[in-house]
Amino acid sequence: NNESLPIPVTWNITDEEIAKMYEGGVKTYEITGVAGGLPARCVVSMIKFNYVQNFGFEDGVTEPWQIDDRGGADQIYPENKITDSLNGTWHMHFWSAAKDTIDFSLYQQVKDLPAGTYRFSISIMGGDAADAEVFCYALVDGTEVGRTPMKITSYGEWDTQQVGGITVEAGQTVTVGISVKCAAGGAWGKIDDALLNSED
């Protein structure tokens, strides 16, 4: 019988050491342990925490994102299509047949952030989007604190941009999002991988 069976692992790490990993910032840690009497090794890469929920639309729903559809687009919805995703299998899809109907903002409000400085980034790709006006942005308590132009070019050409230096005090609400406006009929696109990370 060549069937593989899982082997339990006992890791040599304490709760205190785990806490230090979380507080130690972006770095790689090595953990050792024992599995079936043999030594085991695990490499843990700590990355910056992402404060955006459903950041890649992998939950298969829009929430907690909100859509302000100013143009009455034919389609704006989460789509499950791995070939059109930057990461994972889901992304936010949009398309509309008539001119001037792609005009929307996709945004999320983030509350209870620790005081500090943050960076927001998001990615978009698409096509048939002549005269497009696209930008990512961030607001703190409803006041815009930054925006960065983005572009839609052609299939598979992802544009990733960011807004940095978002200073937040305790109790403030941060709104992060992307605004998309395309004059051309038939414009389409995909939005993926929204990240709100600490710069501290």
Side-chain angles (χ1 to χ4, degrees):
N1 188 349
N2 293 326
E3 185 179 337
S4 298
L5 297 173
I7 300 173
V9 181
T10 301
W11 298 111
N12 300 320
I13 188 166
T14 65
D15 289 343
E16 184 180 347
E17 289 170 327
I18 291 172
K20 285 182 180 177
M21 287 170 55
Y22 277 100
E23 296 166 2
V26 178
K27 79 169 67 161
T28 300
Y29 300 87
E30 183 175 304
I31 303 170
T32 60
V34 178
L38 298 172
R41 181 173 156 268
C42 175
V43 176
V44 178
S45 296
M46 296 299 285
I47 60 174
K48 284 191 177 288
F49 185 81
N50 183 9
Y51 290 92
V52 171
Q53 295 180 43
N54 194 17
F55 75 96
F57 308 97
E58 298 300 315
D59 292 348
V61 296
T62 301
E63 294 76 16
W65 292 94
Q66 298 179 62
I67 299 170
D68 178 11
D69 183 8
R70 300 176 293 259
D74 291 329
Q75 299 175 353
I76 308 175
Y77 58 80
E79 181 181 54
N80 184 4
K81 190 175 181 183
I82 191 170
T83 54
D84 287 1
S85 296
L86 180 57
N87 283 299
T89 62
W90 289 81
H91 52 266
M92 184 64 72
H93 159 87
F94 64 88
W95 170 83
S96 203
K99 292 182 178 181
D100 299 314
T101 54
I102 294 287
D103 184 3
F104 69 91
S105 286
L106 174 70
Y107 64 94
Q108 183 175 143
Q109 291 186 332
V110 184
K111 299 180 179 180
D112 301 320
L113 284 170
T117 306
Y118 295 83
R119 173 184 295 112
F120 171 64
S121 65
I122 197 165
S123 299
I124 190 170
M125 72 99 164
D128 301 321
D131 300 320
E133 296 176 20
V134 183
F135 59 88
C136 58
Y137 63 89
L139 292 78
V140 176
D141 280 352
T143 300
E144 185 175 297
V145 295
R147 71 165 62 183
T148 303
M150 303 184 74
K151 56 185 181 292
I152 298 172
T153 52
S154 60
Y155 179 78
E157 294 293 324
W158 287 93
D159 184 29
T160 302
Q161 297 297 334
Q162 65 182 23
V163 175
I166 305 167
T167 303
V168 181
E169 296 177 6
Q172 291 186 312
T173 297
V174 176
T175 303
V176 291
I178 183 170
S179 176
V180 181
K181 184 176 182 180
C182 305
W188 63 273
K190 319 288 178 173
I191 299 167
D192 211 351
D193 283 16
L195 307 174
L196 181 62
N197 308 122
S198 171
E199 286 188 348
D200 297 338

PDB file of all heavy atoms in Angstrom, residues 116-120 138 140 145-146 162-168 197-199:
ATOM      1  N   GLY A 116      -1.256  55.303  13.057  1.00  0.00           N
ATOM      2  CA  GLY A 116      -0.018  55.090  12.315  1.00  0.00           C
ATOM      3  C   GLY A 116      -0.139  55.578  10.891  1.00  0.00           C
ATOM      4  O   GLY A 116      -1.062  56.316  10.535  1.00  0.00           O
ATOM      5  N   THR A 117       0.793  55.153  10.056  1.00  0.00           N
ATOM      6  CA  THR A 117       0.829  55.544   8.651  1.00  0.00           C
ATOM      7  C   THR A 117       0.671  54.297   7.787  1.00  0.00           C
ATOM      8  O   THR A 117       1.309  53.268   8.056  1.00  0.00           O
ATOM      9  CB  THR A 117       2.153  56.257   8.311  1.00  0.00           C
ATOM     10  OG1 THR A 117       2.338  57.340   9.227  1.00  0.00           O
ATOM     11  CG2 THR A 117       2.131  56.819   6.896  1.00  0.00           C
ATOM     12  N   TYR A 118      -0.156  54.421   6.758  1.00  0.00           N
ATOM     13  CA  TYR A 118      -0.533  53.259   5.951  1.00  0.00           C
ATOM     14  C   TYR A 118      -0.312  53.510   4.459  1.00  0.00           C
ATOM     15  O   TYR A 118      -0.196  54.652   4.015  1.00  0.00           O
ATOM     16  CB  TYR A 118      -1.998  52.892   6.214  1.00  0.00           C
ATOM     17  CG  TYR A 118      -2.243  52.426   7.621  1.00  0.00           C
ATOM     18  CD1 TYR A 118      -2.446  53.341   8.654  1.00  0.00           C
ATOM     19  CD2 TYR A 118      -2.242  51.066   7.937  1.00  0.00           C
ATOM     20  CE1 TYR A 118      -2.642  52.917   9.961  1.00  0.00           C
ATOM     21  CE2 TYR A 118      -2.440  50.632   9.234  1.00  0.00           C
ATOM     22  CZ  TYR A 118      -2.644  51.559  10.239  1.00  0.00           C
ATOM     23  OH  TYR A 118      -2.825  51.139  11.535  1.00  0.00           O
ATOM     24  N   ARG A 119      -0.319  52.386   3.714  1.00  0.00           N
ATOM     25  CA  ARG A 119      -0.206  52.432   2.247  1.00  0.00           C
ATOM     26  C   ARG A 119      -1.316  51.554   1.670  1.00  0.00           C
ATOM     27  O   ARG A 119      -1.516  50.422   2.119  1.00  0.00           O
ATOM     28  CB  ARG A 119       1.162  51.909   1.810  1.00  0.00           C
ATOM     29  CG  ARG A 119       1.305  51.757   0.293  1.00  0.00           C
ATOM     30  CD  ARG A 119       2.628  51.154  -0.103  1.00  0.00           C
ATOM     31  NE  ARG A 119       3.737  52.013   0.244  1.00  0.00           N
ATOM     32  CZ  ARG A 119       4.640  51.735   1.168  1.00  0.00           C
ATOM     33  NH1 ARG A 119       4.557  50.603   1.862  1.00  0.00           N
ATOM     34  NH2 ARG A 119       5.614  52.570   1.427  1.00  0.00           N
ATOM     35  N   PHE A 120      -2.023  52.073   0.665  1.00  0.00           N
ATOM     36  CA  PHE A 120      -3.066  51.317  -0.021  1.00  0.00           C
ATOM     37  C   PHE A 120      -2.630  51.046  -1.447  1.00  0.00           C
ATOM     38  O   PHE A 120      -2.121  51.931  -2.142  1.00  0.00           O
ATOM     39  CB  PHE A 120      -4.378  52.106  -0.030  1.00  0.00           C
ATOM     40  CG  PHE A 120      -5.445  51.506  -0.909  1.00  0.00           C
ATOM     41  CD1 PHE A 120      -5.986  50.257  -0.633  1.00  0.00           C
ATOM     42  CD2 PHE A 120      -5.911  52.197  -2.024  1.00  0.00           C
ATOM     43  CE1 PHE A 120      -6.959  49.698  -1.451  1.00  0.00           C
ATOM     44  CE2 PHE A 120      -6.883  51.648  -2.843  1.00  0.00           C
ATOM     45  CZ  PHE A 120      -7.410  50.401  -2.555  1.00  0.00           C
ATOM     46  N   ALA A 138      -7.562  57.293  -1.264  1.00  0.00           N
ATOM     47  CA  ALA A 138      -7.767  57.039   0.161  1.00  0.00           C
ATOM     48  C   ALA A 138      -8.337  58.291   0.810  1.00  0.00           C
ATOM     49  O   ALA A 138      -7.955  59.416   0.466  1.00  0.00           O
ATOM     50  CB  ALA A 138      -6.448  56.659   0.830  1.00  0.00           C
ATOM     51  N   VAL A 140      -9.542  59.846   4.793  1.00  0.00           N
ATOM     52  CA  VAL A 140      -9.533  59.688   6.241  1.00  0.00           C
ATOM     53  C   VAL A 140     -10.661  60.549   6.793  1.00  0.00           C
ATOM     54  O   VAL A 140     -10.687  61.761   6.571  1.00  0.00           O
ATOM     55  CB  VAL A 140      -8.180  60.092   6.859  1.00  0.00           C
ATOM     56  CG1 VAL A 140      -8.245  60.013   8.388  1.00  0.00           C
ATOM     57  CG2 VAL A 140      -7.059  59.190   6.333  1.00  0.00           C
ATOM     58  N   VAL A 145      -7.040  62.067   1.115  1.00  0.00           N
ATOM     59  CA  VAL A 145      -5.655  62.323   1.502  1.00  0.00           C
ATOM     60  C   VAL A 145      -4.675  61.889   0.416  1.00  0.00           C
ATOM     61  O   VAL A 145      -3.468  62.106   0.550  1.00  0.00           O
ATOM     62  CB  VAL A 145      -5.316  61.609   2.831  1.00  0.00           C
ATOM     63  CG1 VAL A 145      -6.141  62.201   3.974  1.00  0.00           C
ATOM     64  CG2 VAL A 145      -5.530  60.101   2.736  1.00  0.00           C
ATOM     65  N   GLY A 146      -5.175  61.286  -0.655  1.00  0.00           N
ATOM     66  CA  GLY A 146      -4.286  60.911  -1.745  1.00  0.00           C
ATOM     67  C   GLY A 146      -5.021  60.164  -2.840  1.00  0.00           C
ATOM     68  O   GLY A 146      -6.018  59.490  -2.587  1.00  0.00           O
ATOM     69  N   GLN A 162      -0.415  52.661  -5.978  1.00  0.00           N
ATOM     70  CA  GLN A 162      -0.610  52.792  -4.540  1.00  0.00           C
ATOM     71  C   GLN A 162      -0.734  54.248  -4.113  1.00  0.00           C
ATOM     72  O   GLN A 162      -0.320  55.160  -4.828  1.00  0.00           O
ATOM     73  CB  GLN A 162       0.541  52.129  -3.781  1.00  0.00           C
ATOM     74  CG  GLN A 162       1.883  52.807  -4.014  1.00  0.00           C
ATOM     75  CD  GLN A 162       3.018  52.099  -3.286  1.00  0.00           C
ATOM     76  OE1 GLN A 162       2.920  50.923  -2.963  1.00  0.00           O
ATOM     77  NE2 GLN A 162       4.087  52.811  -3.034  1.00  0.00           N
ATOM     78  N   VAL A 163      -1.344  54.407  -2.956  1.00  0.00           N
ATOM     79  CA  VAL A 163      -1.399  55.689  -2.268  1.00  0.00           C
ATOM     80  C   VAL A 163      -0.711  55.472  -0.931  1.00  0.00           C
ATOM     81  O   VAL A 163      -1.155  54.632  -0.134  1.00  0.00           O
ATOM     82  CB  VAL A 163      -2.849  56.163  -2.038  1.00  0.00           C
ATOM     83  CG1 VAL A 163      -2.859  57.447  -1.218  1.00  0.00           C
ATOM     84  CG2 VAL A 163      -3.566  56.369  -3.365  1.00  0.00           C
ATOM     85  N   GLY A 164       0.374  56.185  -0.696  1.00  0.00           N
ATOM     86  CA  GLY A 164       1.113  56.030   0.550  1.00  0.00           C
ATOM     87  C   GLY A 164       0.941  57.232   1.460  1.00  0.00           C
ATOM     88  O   GLY A 164       0.279  58.215   1.117  1.00  0.00           O
ATOM     89  N   GLY A 165       1.550  57.156   2.621  1.00  0.00           N
ATOM     90  CA  GLY A 165       1.520  58.266   3.559  1.00  0.00           C
ATOM     91  C   GLY A 165       0.147  58.574   4.111  1.00  0.00           C
ATOM     92  O   GLY A 165      -0.178  59.732   4.384  1.00  0.00           O
ATOM     93  N   ILE A 166      -0.683  57.544   4.289  1.00  0.00           N
ATOM     94  CA  ILE A 166      -2.034  57.737   4.836  1.00  0.00           C
ATOM     95  C   ILE A 166      -1.910  57.752   6.362  1.00  0.00           C
ATOM     96  O   ILE A 166      -1.750  56.704   6.996  1.00  0.00           O
ATOM     97  CB  ILE A 166      -2.979  56.605   4.384  1.00  0.00           C
ATOM     98  CG1 ILE A 166      -2.987  56.472   2.851  1.00  0.00           C
ATOM     99  CG2 ILE A 166      -4.385  56.833   4.924  1.00  0.00           C
ATOM    100  CD1 ILE A 166      -3.640  55.197   2.343  1.00  0.00           C
ATOM    101  N   THR A 167      -1.952  58.937   6.945  1.00  0.00           N
ATOM    102  CA  THR A 167      -1.769  59.081   8.390  1.00  0.00           C
ATOM    103  C   THR A 167      -3.113  58.961   9.097  1.00  0.00           C
ATOM    104  O   THR A 167      -4.060  59.672   8.768  1.00  0.00           O
ATOM    105  CB  THR A 167      -1.117  60.434   8.723  1.00  0.00           C
ATOM    106  OG1 THR A 167       0.141  60.524   8.022  1.00  0.00           O
ATOM    107  CG2 THR A 167      -0.860  60.557  10.217  1.00  0.00           C
ATOM    108  N   VAL A 168      -3.166  58.061  10.073  1.00  0.00           N
ATOM    109  CA  VAL A 168      -4.415  57.752  10.759  1.00  0.00           C
ATOM    110  C   VAL A 168      -4.228  57.908  12.263  1.00  0.00           C
ATOM    111  O   VAL A 168      -3.247  57.403  12.828  1.00  0.00           O
ATOM    112  CB  VAL A 168      -4.872  56.305  10.451  1.00  0.00           C
ATOM    113  CG1 VAL A 168      -6.189  55.992  11.144  1.00  0.00           C
ATOM    114  CG2 VAL A 168      -4.988  56.088   8.950  1.00  0.00           C
ATOM    115  N   ASN A 197      -1.706  48.260   4.090  1.00  0.00           N
ATOM    116  CA  ASN A 197      -0.661  47.807   4.998  1.00  0.00           C
ATOM    117  C   ASN A 197      -0.063  48.974   5.773  1.00  0.00           C
ATOM    118  O   ASN A 197      -0.053  50.106   5.299  1.00  0.00           O
ATOM    119  CB  ASN A 197       0.480  47.138   4.221  1.00  0.00           C
ATOM    120  CG  ASN A 197       0.023  46.057   3.280  1.00  0.00           C
ATOM    121  OD1 ASN A 197       0.284  46.134   2.089  1.00  0.00           O
ATOM    122  ND2 ASN A 197      -0.661  45.053   3.786  1.00  0.00           N
ATOM    123  N   SER A 198       0.450  48.676   6.944  1.00  0.00           N
ATOM    124  CA  SER A 198       1.140  49.684   7.741  1.00  0.00           C
ATOM    125  C   SER A 198       2.465  50.040   7.093  1.00  0.00           C
ATOM    126  O   SER A 198       3.183  49.174   6.589  1.00  0.00           O
ATOM    127  CB  SER A 198       1.370  49.155   9.161  1.00  0.00           C
ATOM    128  OG  SER A 198       2.199  50.027   9.880  1.00  0.00           O
ATOM    129  N   GLU A 199       2.808  51.329   7.102  1.00  0.00           N
ATOM    130  CA  GLU A 199       4.131  51.765   6.649  1.00  0.00           C
ATOM    131  C   GLU A 199       5.096  51.856   7.827  1.00  0.00           C
ATOM    132  O   GLU A 199       6.286  52.078   7.633  1.00  0.00           O
ATOM    133  CB  GLU A 199       4.058  53.135   5.958  1.00  0.00           C
ATOM    134  CG  GLU A 199       3.450  53.094   4.583  1.00  0.00           C
ATOM    135  CD  GLU A 199       3.562  54.429   3.845  1.00  0.00           C
ATOM    136  OE1 GLU A 199       3.914  55.448   4.488  1.00  0.00           O
ATOM    137  OE2 GLU A 199       3.299  54.455   2.633  1.00  0.00           O
TER     138      GLU A 199
END
